[in-house]
Amino acid sequence: MIKLEHISKWVNQGNNRIFLLKDINLGIEEGEFVSIMGPSGSGKSTLLNVVGMLDTADEGSYQFYDQPVHTLKEKQRSQLYKQHIGFVFQAYHLIDELTVYENIETPLLYQDTKSSERKALVADMLDRFNIVGKKDLFPAQLSGGQQQLVGIARALIAKPKLILADEPTGNLNSKQGEEIMDIFTQLNREDGVTIIQVTHSEKNAAYSNRIIHLLDGRIEHNR
Amino acid sequence: MTNDLIITIRHITRNKIYSVLNIAGIALGIAAFLLILEFISTEKSYNLFHADKEQMYRLVYSNPEGSAWSEMEPGIGPLIKEKLPVITDYCRYETGIAQGVVKVNNPAADPFRESAIGYVDGNFFSFFSFPVKAGKAAKLNQPFTCFLSEKAAVKYFPNQNPVGQTILLYNQFGEGIFRIAGVYSIPDNSDIQYDMVFSLETLGVASYMQGNDWVNINNLSSQYIQTMVKLVPGTDPATLEKQINSVRQSAIPENDGTLLHLQPLTQMHLTISFDDFYPTYGNLRYIYILGLVALLILCMAWFNYINLSTAQSIKRSHEISIRKIIGASRSSLVQLYLTESIAINLLGLFFALFLVYLIQPFFNTLIQKELSLTTIHWNTITLIGSLIFISGALLSGWYTALVITRFQPLAVIKSRMTISGKGVTLRKLLVVTQFAISIGLVLTTFIIYKQIGFMQKSALGMDIEKMLIVRGPSITTDSSFSIQKSGFVQSLESNPQIQEFTLTGSVPGYYYNFRTAGFSQPGSSESVKQKSFAFSIIDHRYLSTYRIPLVAGRNFTPAETAVEWNKNDRVLMNERAIEQLGFSSPEEALTKRVTWDERTIQVIGVVKNYHHTGLQNAIDPIIFYPQNNNVFYSIRLAPGNLKHQISLIEKTYRESFPNNPFEYSFADEQFNRQYLTETKYGSLFTTGAVWAILIACLGLFGLTNYSIQSRIKEIGIRKVVGASVNNIVAMLASDFIKLIVIAGIIACPVAWWAMQNWLDNFAYRIEISWWLLPSAIAVALIIAVATISIQTIRTALSNPVDALKSE
């Protein structure tokens, strides 16, 4: 599904080139549940963003479903990730001005889904995460765990093949965190959704079937 | 205080975009305000340099129909001075009958046509306060003396002393030789403007008048001269008016309801209110419109300031909170922001002065005056203007300061609170107001130009294409003149480049020869006698040259145009005149005699109505009188090289009429010159609209910037969940588009109503098409979208990761 070869990304600071990612080679198969670990500043989020096509590498090649992402134009890339990838963030990144229902619906709006179909899909999602009663509330009226549920619901609404999660439980207490990880596991096993998560916690990483350790932009372990 | 200043300077230099937008907006506003202030203060300063201005009054006539005019019988002045001792002095001056050609009394000198010249009373220079630069003022008392303005002195006598020299004046009285007794200057802000003045006493010399009895300087029957009187201080003008009227009544027993009034000299340029009927030189309506535009634009600039500054307060809320927590009082914060506002306004003023300097030449062309910052007159208008400026600057600064310092400090720091809802509403309101003003001005401009276009393109009922109008010779004293004239006419006839030509006393677009009343026919009612008819003197070639059709009867024969003025009894009339006389059909008019005072005339033909004057006016009833007049030669040219054709005509003209200046114009241009006022309004409103939109767009640019900053996270999220660049741009733009549409909905009816009123002044006018309203909104929208597009597209293209990782 994902094949990264010799991926490097850097910033120039004066005359020095600082590598954020250096010569990353990585393959991920469909149906995997991968955790990316490593200390702060090791390049975890950068790697996730490159995989998610929100960011581009300066060097190397990236194949997604055999499509050469590194050669695609911005528009084609966004078309690609819109269809296949859902994002979950540590800070949830819900839109404050929209209700729970509207937040979940947003991706469908950008895919020109019909109104009746949107209704059905959002209703399914609300049902699945048990938040039907909260659909008219605004994000500020929800607890952190509930907000993250909405975030996941939004990521799943367009039926992506890949979920990218950047420290999804970082702002949650342990009980809420467990709930989220259970949902991920279920998604991975029952729906066959590929999941890549960035995490600091060994406990969360244990839910996955592969862990990649990053240090200073390089892959240290890959097991 | 110095601390405040330092912080202000730092703030201005750090937030470059906001500072530039703010200062630019204010500079544009102030510049427009200053330019208009120049104009209005000059208009208000007119005629105020006369020493006895408070005691000076102009005599004005009014009639029961509501017309007012200032030309009167020359005998009125001496008569009322003699009978009414409170009138200490009078001065008469005329502004039309002296026009002609002037030439230095020297065979080699060039002749010039002069229109700003007149016969004036001998006390002209002592009565008024025009400075005499050379010669003795009192000398104007003598017949055949004249004074030259400094401008004319340089024109006719470069590097010479004109005093004591003689010049020749050729006009309707033939040739006059005048001795130059002095040189004077007239300030620009005087309504009385003469390039040269000739002694009125000259018109008392029988040999000079050549039988023109109507011009007799003591007559009480022909109205042609302006009369100004001086009163004993403290005289009540209302009482005196009554006395003047009874004196006039006893001298002129005719009871036609005409009344004399005293118009204060101080109100000769501008009346006090629209209700005043006095004829004036300035236009009060124009002043009000300009003043309104100036104020609106200045307000828009301050709205911008309030808008941009309160929007920016999001950024500064943190700073303010910390200041408050460490003990700043609200008043000290207000003082800080007031300092900032004053600094921005002063910087704006500085750039505005520079802007005025750059725009002045363009503005002067527009307004047709020679103005500059140094011509601003220090009068009440200037004072009011300065007060408006200072209070507006303070008010906008003070309001901004209040809004910004309103935050509760802890709330801001804890929750990174965004700006209060009230501020957002206010900003939207200000944007709506700004765009309402802009759209209103755009719509106004559209309608003015539609009307001008309509007037210029309408069928006139005659043909003025490729028509050259040559002024006939004025120096006609030569005994061989009639031979010269027939020679020139023959050369026109034999010139293959000329299709047709005609000799007339007036031409379309150049008014008429005169207007008069006293016509009736056996079947008409008594009131018809009071109705005025326009008189146009033409020859037998006029109708065919201008391609004006006859609807009944026949044209003049060449023989009829040769009949002496008082012996002629045949006329043509247009359909409108026939109607006004009460004939039921053109054919009926041909069979009946028409009485004109004590004369009887015969209508031999009826001319189809055509537009002799601009479409502002309804078609007048016109009587065409046959004469071999010599004022205008209208020449229709054959297709060909225009330059060559004109130079050919010029050559024969100069040969036929030596010593006469060759002056020509094109009939269509001449005709369109009647729309100069409208065109002036058009360019003025275009400028105003462009200016307003410019300021509004500066504000919009700033607000978009603000809106993007405060929604940067949301935009990032939306992009991550799949929004395209177009989605984002549409989302950001739709907010402003809504506001602009609302502004349009408010502005359009107001502008529509105002322009309906304006259009009612035109006898022939457009109906305002409904689609002009959305077009005006569309113009504002297109410009607004262009303004915000760069920023929004850049934002939409930017990497959402940057926006999201700031957490």
Side-chain angles (χ1 to χ4, degrees), chain B residues 712-740:
Chain B
I712 195 89
K713 191 186 128 193
E714 180 195 337
I715 294 166
I717 299 169
R718 283 183 186 271
K719 278 200 82 174
V720 167
V721 301
S724 67
V725 173
N726 288 344
N727 293 142
I728 300 291
V729 172
M731 180 188 82
L732 288 171
S734 70
D735 282 1
F736 292 114
I737 288 171
K738 256 183 264 160
L739 295 184
I740 291 169

PDB file of all heavy atoms in Angstrom, chain B residues 712-740:
ATOM      1  N   ILE B 712      -7.453  30.767  10.703  1.00  0.00           N
ATOM      2  CA  ILE B 712      -6.388  29.996  10.072  1.00  0.00           C
ATOM      3  C   ILE B 712      -6.483  28.510  10.432  1.00  0.00           C
ATOM      4  O   ILE B 712      -6.276  27.636   9.614  1.00  0.00           O
ATOM      5  CB  ILE B 712      -5.004  30.605  10.441  1.00  0.00           C
ATOM      6  CG1 ILE B 712      -3.921  30.061   9.535  1.00  0.00           C
ATOM      7  CG2 ILE B 712      -4.646  30.366  11.893  1.00  0.00           C
ATOM      8  CD1 ILE B 712      -3.748  30.896   8.302  1.00  0.00           C
ATOM      9  N   LYS B 713      -6.853  28.235  11.698  1.00  0.00           N
ATOM     10  CA  LYS B 713      -6.942  26.854  12.152  1.00  0.00           C
ATOM     11  C   LYS B 713      -8.090  26.139  11.434  1.00  0.00           C
ATOM     12  O   LYS B 713      -7.937  25.027  10.931  1.00  0.00           O
ATOM     13  CB  LYS B 713      -7.167  26.835  13.662  1.00  0.00           C
ATOM     14  CG  LYS B 713      -7.022  25.461  14.276  1.00  0.00           C
ATOM     15  CD  LYS B 713      -7.396  25.471  15.740  1.00  0.00           C
ATOM     16  CE  LYS B 713      -8.428  24.367  15.976  1.00  0.00           C
ATOM     17  NZ  LYS B 713      -9.062  24.492  17.289  1.00  0.00           N
ATOM     18  N   GLU B 714      -9.211  26.810  11.387  1.00  0.00           N
ATOM     19  CA  GLU B 714     -10.379  26.225  10.735  1.00  0.00           C
ATOM     20  C   GLU B 714     -10.062  25.887   9.276  1.00  0.00           C
ATOM     21  O   GLU B 714     -10.423  24.824   8.773  1.00  0.00           O
ATOM     22  CB  GLU B 714     -11.544  27.202  10.815  1.00  0.00           C
ATOM     23  CG  GLU B 714     -12.803  26.674  10.164  1.00  0.00           C
ATOM     24  CD  GLU B 714     -13.836  27.751   9.931  1.00  0.00           C
ATOM     25  OE1 GLU B 714     -13.781  28.787  10.631  1.00  0.00           O
ATOM     26  OE2 GLU B 714     -14.694  27.554   9.054  1.00  0.00           O
ATOM     27  N   ILE B 715      -9.365  26.830   8.624  1.00  0.00           N
ATOM     28  CA  ILE B 715      -9.019  26.610   7.220  1.00  0.00           C
ATOM     29  C   ILE B 715      -8.142  25.373   7.087  1.00  0.00           C
ATOM     30  O   ILE B 715      -8.343  24.533   6.203  1.00  0.00           O
ATOM     31  CB  ILE B 715      -8.321  27.865   6.641  1.00  0.00           C
ATOM     32  CG1 ILE B 715      -9.310  29.024   6.601  1.00  0.00           C
ATOM     33  CG2 ILE B 715      -7.765  27.587   5.256  1.00  0.00           C
ATOM     34  CD1 ILE B 715      -8.673  30.375   6.378  1.00  0.00           C
ATOM     35  N   GLY B 716      -7.178  25.251   8.009  1.00  0.00           N
ATOM     36  CA  GLY B 716      -6.299  24.090   8.009  1.00  0.00           C
ATOM     37  C   GLY B 716      -7.094  22.799   8.135  1.00  0.00           C
ATOM     38  O   GLY B 716      -6.892  21.843   7.378  1.00  0.00           O
ATOM     39  N   ILE B 717      -8.005  22.767   9.111  1.00  0.00           N
ATOM     40  CA  ILE B 717      -8.811  21.567   9.320  1.00  0.00           C
ATOM     41  C   ILE B 717      -9.605  21.226   8.078  1.00  0.00           C
ATOM     42  O   ILE B 717      -9.645  20.095   7.616  1.00  0.00           O
ATOM     43  CB  ILE B 717      -9.774  21.759  10.506  1.00  0.00           C
ATOM     44  CG1 ILE B 717      -8.989  22.013  11.787  1.00  0.00           C
ATOM     45  CG2 ILE B 717     -10.674  20.541  10.667  1.00  0.00           C
ATOM     46  CD1 ILE B 717      -9.848  22.460  12.940  1.00  0.00           C
ATOM     47  N   ARG B 718     -10.229  22.234   7.536  1.00  0.00           N
ATOM     48  CA  ARG B 718     -11.056  21.988   6.366  1.00  0.00           C
ATOM     49  C   ARG B 718     -10.229  21.425   5.212  1.00  0.00           C
ATOM     50  O   ARG B 718     -10.676  20.560   4.479  1.00  0.00           O
ATOM     51  CB  ARG B 718     -11.749  23.280   5.921  1.00  0.00           C
ATOM     52  CG  ARG B 718     -12.930  23.644   6.809  1.00  0.00           C
ATOM     53  CD  ARG B 718     -13.643  24.875   6.298  1.00  0.00           C
ATOM     54  NE  ARG B 718     -14.684  25.297   7.231  1.00  0.00           N
ATOM     55  CZ  ARG B 718     -15.939  24.857   7.185  1.00  0.00           C
ATOM     56  NH1 ARG B 718     -16.310  23.999   6.273  1.00  0.00           N
ATOM     57  NH2 ARG B 718     -16.816  25.282   8.072  1.00  0.00           N
ATOM     58  N   LYS B 719      -9.006  21.956   5.074  1.00  0.00           N
ATOM     59  CA  LYS B 719      -8.175  21.427   3.999  1.00  0.00           C
ATOM     60  C   LYS B 719      -7.832  19.964   4.256  1.00  0.00           C
ATOM     61  O   LYS B 719      -7.864  19.137   3.352  1.00  0.00           O
ATOM     62  CB  LYS B 719      -6.885  22.240   3.878  1.00  0.00           C
ATOM     63  CG  LYS B 719      -7.075  23.498   3.074  1.00  0.00           C
ATOM     64  CD  LYS B 719      -5.764  24.025   2.552  1.00  0.00           C
ATOM     65  CE  LYS B 719      -5.351  23.287   1.277  1.00  0.00           C
ATOM     66  NZ  LYS B 719      -4.163  23.865   0.688  1.00  0.00           N
ATOM     67  N   VAL B 720      -7.522  19.657   5.527  1.00  0.00           N
ATOM     68  CA  VAL B 720      -7.140  18.286   5.848  1.00  0.00           C
ATOM     69  C   VAL B 720      -8.287  17.326   5.596  1.00  0.00           C
ATOM     70  O   VAL B 720      -8.096  16.226   5.097  1.00  0.00           O
ATOM     71  CB  VAL B 720      -6.676  18.210   7.321  1.00  0.00           C
ATOM     72  CG1 VAL B 720      -6.585  16.775   7.777  1.00  0.00           C
ATOM     73  CG2 VAL B 720      -5.332  18.893   7.464  1.00  0.00           C
ATOM     74  N   VAL B 721      -9.519  17.773   5.902  1.00  0.00           N
ATOM     75  CA  VAL B 721     -10.635  16.860   5.657  1.00  0.00           C
ATOM     76  C   VAL B 721     -11.122  16.923   4.211  1.00  0.00           C
ATOM     77  O   VAL B 721     -12.158  16.372   3.896  1.00  0.00           O
ATOM     78  CB  VAL B 721     -11.819  17.079   6.629  1.00  0.00           C
ATOM     79  CG1 VAL B 721     -11.366  16.901   8.063  1.00  0.00           C
ATOM     80  CG2 VAL B 721     -12.458  18.430   6.409  1.00  0.00           C
ATOM     81  N   GLY B 722     -10.392  17.618   3.359  1.00  0.00           N
ATOM     82  CA  GLY B 722     -10.679  17.465   1.934  1.00  0.00           C
ATOM     83  C   GLY B 722     -11.148  18.680   1.188  1.00  0.00           C
ATOM     84  O   GLY B 722     -11.527  18.574   0.035  1.00  0.00           O
ATOM     85  N   ALA B 723     -11.132  19.870   1.827  1.00  0.00           N
ATOM     86  CA  ALA B 723     -11.578  21.056   1.095  1.00  0.00           C
ATOM     87  C   ALA B 723     -10.558  21.410   0.030  1.00  0.00           C
ATOM     88  O   ALA B 723      -9.351  21.352   0.271  1.00  0.00           O
ATOM     89  CB  ALA B 723     -11.759  22.220   2.047  1.00  0.00           C
ATOM     90  N   SER B 724     -11.042  21.773  -1.162  1.00  0.00           N
ATOM     91  CA  SER B 724     -10.121  22.191  -2.220  1.00  0.00           C
ATOM     92  C   SER B 724      -9.838  23.685  -2.065  1.00  0.00           C
ATOM     93  O   SER B 724     -10.469  24.366  -1.260  1.00  0.00           O
ATOM     94  CB  SER B 724     -10.758  21.936  -3.578  1.00  0.00           C
ATOM     95  OG  SER B 724     -11.863  22.789  -3.730  1.00  0.00           O
ATOM     96  N   VAL B 725      -8.879  24.171  -2.842  1.00  0.00           N
ATOM     97  CA  VAL B 725      -8.552  25.597  -2.823  1.00  0.00           C
ATOM     98  C   VAL B 725      -9.805  26.410  -3.131  1.00  0.00           C
ATOM     99  O   VAL B 725     -10.117  27.402  -2.463  1.00  0.00           O
ATOM    100  CB  VAL B 725      -7.442  25.901  -3.845  1.00  0.00           C
ATOM    101  CG1 VAL B 725      -7.216  27.392  -3.958  1.00  0.00           C
ATOM    102  CG2 VAL B 725      -6.168  25.205  -3.447  1.00  0.00           C
ATOM    103  N   ASN B 726     -10.569  25.951  -4.132  1.00  0.00           N
ATOM    104  CA  ASN B 726     -11.789  26.686  -4.492  1.00  0.00           C
ATOM    105  C   ASN B 726     -12.773  26.746  -3.341  1.00  0.00           C
ATOM    106  O   ASN B 726     -13.395  27.772  -3.092  1.00  0.00           O
ATOM    107  CB  ASN B 726     -12.462  26.024  -5.695  1.00  0.00           C
ATOM    108  CG  ASN B 726     -11.678  26.271  -6.958  1.00  0.00           C
ATOM    109  OD1 ASN B 726     -10.821  27.166  -6.982  1.00  0.00           O
ATOM    110  ND2 ASN B 726     -11.935  25.482  -7.982  1.00  0.00           N
ATOM    111  N   ASN B 727     -12.915  25.594  -2.641  1.00  0.00           N
ATOM    112  CA  ASN B 727     -13.828  25.577  -1.495  1.00  0.00           C
ATOM    113  C   ASN B 727     -13.455  26.658  -0.484  1.00  0.00           C
ATOM    114  O   ASN B 727     -14.302  27.387   0.017  1.00  0.00           O
ATOM    115  CB  ASN B 727     -13.770  24.217  -0.772  1.00  0.00           C
ATOM    116  CG  ASN B 727     -14.323  23.089  -1.629  1.00  0.00           C
ATOM    117  OD1 ASN B 727     -13.801  21.982  -1.601  1.00  0.00           O
ATOM    118  ND2 ASN B 727     -15.370  23.378  -2.383  1.00  0.00           N
ATOM    119  N   ILE B 728     -12.149  26.728  -0.191  1.00  0.00           N
ATOM    120  CA  ILE B 728     -11.687  27.664   0.837  1.00  0.00           C
ATOM    121  C   ILE B 728     -11.900  29.106   0.388  1.00  0.00           C
ATOM    122  O   ILE B 728     -12.409  29.948   1.134  1.00  0.00           O
ATOM    123  CB  ILE B 728     -10.184  27.437   1.142  1.00  0.00           C
ATOM    124  CG1 ILE B 728      -9.954  26.019   1.652  1.00  0.00           C
ATOM    125  CG2 ILE B 728      -9.672  28.466   2.129  1.00  0.00           C
ATOM    126  CD1 ILE B 728     -10.508  25.734   3.015  1.00  0.00           C
ATOM    127  N   VAL B 729     -11.504  29.394  -0.864  1.00  0.00           N
ATOM    128  CA  VAL B 729     -11.661  30.757  -1.366  1.00  0.00           C
ATOM    129  C   VAL B 729     -13.139  31.152  -1.330  1.00  0.00           C
ATOM    130  O   VAL B 729     -13.507  32.235  -0.889  1.00  0.00           O
ATOM    131  CB  VAL B 729     -11.103  30.882  -2.799  1.00  0.00           C
ATOM    132  CG1 VAL B 729     -11.438  32.238  -3.392  1.00  0.00           C
ATOM    133  CG2 VAL B 729      -9.598  30.690  -2.776  1.00  0.00           C
ATOM    134  N   ALA B 730     -13.990  30.220  -1.761  1.00  0.00           N
ATOM    135  CA  ALA B 730     -15.426  30.528  -1.782  1.00  0.00           C
ATOM    136  C   ALA B 730     -15.920  30.795  -0.367  1.00  0.00           C
ATOM    137  O   ALA B 730     -16.709  31.726  -0.135  1.00  0.00           O
ATOM    138  CB  ALA B 730     -16.193  29.371  -2.398  1.00  0.00           C
ATOM    139  N   MET B 731     -15.436  29.999   0.585  1.00  0.00           N
ATOM    140  CA  MET B 731     -15.888  30.182   1.961  1.00  0.00           C
ATOM    141  C   MET B 731     -15.486  31.563   2.489  1.00  0.00           C
ATOM    142  O   MET B 731     -16.304  32.270   3.082  1.00  0.00           O
ATOM    143  CB  MET B 731     -15.266  29.096   2.836  1.00  0.00           C
ATOM    144  CG  MET B 731     -15.661  29.182   4.282  1.00  0.00           C
ATOM    145  SD  MET B 731     -14.717  28.031   5.282  1.00  0.00           S
ATOM    146  CE  MET B 731     -13.203  28.923   5.533  1.00  0.00           C
ATOM    147  N   LEU B 732     -14.230  31.926   2.255  1.00  0.00           N
ATOM    148  CA  LEU B 732     -13.755  33.217   2.761  1.00  0.00           C
ATOM    149  C   LEU B 732     -14.457  34.374   2.055  1.00  0.00           C
ATOM    150  O   LEU B 732     -14.795  35.384   2.663  1.00  0.00           O
ATOM    151  CB  LEU B 732     -12.241  33.333   2.573  1.00  0.00           C
ATOM    152  CG  LEU B 732     -11.410  32.462   3.514  1.00  0.00           C
ATOM    153  CD1 LEU B 732      -9.958  32.497   3.084  1.00  0.00           C
ATOM    154  CD2 LEU B 732     -11.553  32.940   4.945  1.00  0.00           C
ATOM    155  N   ALA B 733     -14.663  34.223   0.738  1.00  0.00           N
ATOM    156  CA  ALA B 733     -15.234  35.329  -0.022  1.00  0.00           C
ATOM    157  C   ALA B 733     -16.721  35.500   0.264  1.00  0.00           C
ATOM    158  O   ALA B 733     -17.234  36.616   0.256  1.00  0.00           O
ATOM    159  CB  ALA B 733     -15.006  35.098  -1.516  1.00  0.00           C
ATOM    160  N   SER B 734     -17.401  34.377   0.556  1.00  0.00           N
ATOM    161  CA  SER B 734     -18.859  34.463   0.658  1.00  0.00           C
ATOM    162  C   SER B 734     -19.290  35.414   1.764  1.00  0.00           C
ATOM    163  O   SER B 734     -20.287  36.125   1.633  1.00  0.00           O
ATOM    164  CB  SER B 734     -19.450  33.075   0.889  1.00  0.00           C
ATOM    165  OG  SER B 734     -19.121  32.641   2.185  1.00  0.00           O
ATOM    166  N   ASP B 735     -18.519  35.481   2.857  1.00  0.00           N
ATOM    167  CA  ASP B 735     -18.858  36.402   3.956  1.00  0.00           C
ATOM    168  C   ASP B 735     -18.942  37.827   3.442  1.00  0.00           C
ATOM    169  O   ASP B 735     -19.892  38.553   3.724  1.00  0.00           O
ATOM    170  CB  ASP B 735     -17.765  36.361   5.021  1.00  0.00           C
ATOM    171  CG  ASP B 735     -17.911  35.119   5.883  1.00  0.00           C
ATOM    172  OD1 ASP B 735     -18.836  34.340   5.599  1.00  0.00           O
ATOM    173  OD2 ASP B 735     -17.105  34.953   6.805  1.00  0.00           O
ATOM    174  N   PHE B 736     -17.913  38.224   2.684  1.00  0.00           N
ATOM    175  CA  PHE B 736     -17.866  39.610   2.218  1.00  0.00           C
ATOM    176  C   PHE B 736     -18.875  39.851   1.102  1.00  0.00           C
ATOM    177  O   PHE B 736     -19.442  40.922   1.009  1.00  0.00           O
ATOM    178  CB  PHE B 736     -16.455  39.939   1.746  1.00  0.00           C
ATOM    179  CG  PHE B 736     -15.490  39.964   2.878  1.00  0.00           C
ATOM    180  CD1 PHE B 736     -14.479  39.045   2.981  1.00  0.00           C
ATOM    181  CD2 PHE B 736     -15.641  40.907   3.886  1.00  0.00           C
ATOM    182  CE1 PHE B 736     -13.621  39.055   4.060  1.00  0.00           C
ATOM    183  CE2 PHE B 736     -14.782  40.921   4.952  1.00  0.00           C
ATOM    184  CZ  PHE B 736     -13.759  39.998   5.049  1.00  0.00           C
ATOM    185  N   ILE B 737     -19.056  38.819   0.294  1.00  0.00           N
ATOM    186  CA  ILE B 737     -20.017  38.987  -0.799  1.00  0.00           C
ATOM    187  C   ILE B 737     -21.399  39.270  -0.228  1.00  0.00           C
ATOM    188  O   ILE B 737     -22.108  40.152  -0.697  1.00  0.00           O
ATOM    189  CB  ILE B 737     -20.002  37.731  -1.702  1.00  0.00           C
ATOM    190  CG1 ILE B 737     -18.688  37.729  -2.492  1.00  0.00           C
ATOM    191  CG2 ILE B 737     -21.190  37.716  -2.639  1.00  0.00           C
ATOM    192  CD1 ILE B 737     -18.422  36.480  -3.267  1.00  0.00           C
ATOM    193  N   LYS B 738     -21.748  38.554   0.841  1.00  0.00           N
ATOM    194  CA  LYS B 738     -23.030  38.798   1.491  1.00  0.00           C
ATOM    195  C   LYS B 738     -23.137  40.264   1.911  1.00  0.00           C
ATOM    196  O   LYS B 738     -24.137  40.929   1.661  1.00  0.00           O
ATOM    197  CB  LYS B 738     -23.147  37.903   2.737  1.00  0.00           C
ATOM    198  CG  LYS B 738     -24.061  36.700   2.533  1.00  0.00           C
ATOM    199  CD  LYS B 738     -24.174  35.902   3.823  1.00  0.00           C
ATOM    200  CE  LYS B 738     -23.199  34.741   3.849  1.00  0.00           C
ATOM    201  NZ  LYS B 738     -22.897  34.205   5.170  1.00  0.00           N
ATOM    202  N   LEU B 739     -22.075  40.765   2.558  1.00  0.00           N
ATOM    203  CA  LEU B 739     -22.099  42.144   3.050  1.00  0.00           C
ATOM    204  C   LEU B 739     -22.264  43.129   1.892  1.00  0.00           C
ATOM    205  O   LEU B 739     -23.000  44.104   1.993  1.00  0.00           O
ATOM    206  CB  LEU B 739     -20.800  42.462   3.807  1.00  0.00           C
ATOM    207  CG  LEU B 739     -20.564  41.684   5.088  1.00  0.00           C
ATOM    208  CD1 LEU B 739     -19.296  42.177   5.770  1.00  0.00           C
ATOM    209  CD2 LEU B 739     -21.743  41.822   6.035  1.00  0.00           C
ATOM    210  N   ILE B 740     -21.563  42.850   0.797  1.00  0.00           N
ATOM    211  CA  ILE B 740     -21.615  43.781  -0.325  1.00  0.00           C
ATOM    212  C   ILE B 740     -22.997  43.770  -0.954  1.00  0.00           C
ATOM    213  O   ILE B 740     -23.531  44.812  -1.342  1.00  0.00           O
ATOM    214  CB  ILE B 740     -20.510  43.437  -1.349  1.00  0.00           C
ATOM    215  CG1 ILE B 740     -19.152  43.771  -0.725  1.00  0.00           C
ATOM    216  CG2 ILE B 740     -20.696  44.213  -2.639  1.00  0.00           C
ATOM    217  CD1 ILE B 740     -17.976  43.257  -1.489  1.00  0.00           C
TER     218      ILE B 740
END
